[in-house]
Amino acid sequence: MKALKTYAKFFKKKAAYEEILSDIKPNALRELKKQPEGKADVDGIEFHVTNKTTKKYSEELTTQIKKLREDEEEAGKVKTSSTESFDASIPRSVKESVLSDVSDFKKHFDL
């Protein structure tokens, strides 16, 4: 149980800091856009504005791809490999109380 307790401790901190970062991100982006060329270097961390794009293909093409995948799976041409791992999560019902154990989380969200 020692490894699980250690993992839980750091997982809780990671989740708390991710919440803080997602709260700060819009303001940081606003500040970064005001910088020359949308770039900044703060405390050794390099920031730059990026544009994310997504492609949307026609329904016909996505249907063809889906059918091709199904045909390949039925023909047994798809190889599957797996490795053991695990997932960890904090239930929504107790998320705030669990994350409030991290002092920076309490300070940032005034809890």
Side-chain angles (χ1 to χ4, degrees):
M1 291 295 277
K2 184 177 180 180
L4 287 176
K5 285 185 179 188
T6 303
Y7 191 93
K9 173 184 162 185
F10 288 109
F11 183 80
K12 190 185 324 183
K13 287 182 180 184
K14 175 184 170 239
Y17 286 117
E18 285 174 350
E19 289 284 325
I20 293 169
L21 288 172
S22 67
D23 186 55
I24 297 171
K25 191 171 186 173
N27 293 334
L29 179 59
R30 207 171 299 118
E31 286 181 13
L32 188 57
K33 286 181 178 180
K34 294 177 184 177
Q35 297 298 316
E37 300 179 26
K39 295 180 180 179
D41 189 345
V42 179
D43 294 333
I45 306 297
E46 184 178 300
F47 295 92
H48 56 275
V49 176
T50 59
N51 292 319
K52 292 185 179 181
T53 58
T54 57
K55 296 180 180 179
K56 299 213 178 204
Y57 296 100
S58 68
E59 185 67 31
E60 180 182 335
L61 181 60
T62 55
T63 304
Q64 288 175 355
I65 292 170
K66 184 177 178 181
K67 183 173 180 354
L68 182 61
R69 284 183 177 168
E70 290 171 356
D71 292 346
E72 290 289 310
E73 286 179 13
E74 289 173 5
K77 294 181 180 179
V78 178
K79 294 182 181 178
T80 305
S81 63
S82 64
T83 57
E84 281 190 344
S85 185
F86 66 93
D87 291 326
S89 63
I90 300 171
R92 287 184 186 176
S93 59
V94 295
K95 188 172 188 174
E96 189 174 306
S97 65
V98 169
L99 297 182
S100 66
D101 290 346
V102 179
S103 61
D104 287 337
F105 185 84
K106 282 195 286 190
K107 289 177 190 174
H108 182 76
F109 291 105
D110 294 326
L111 298 178

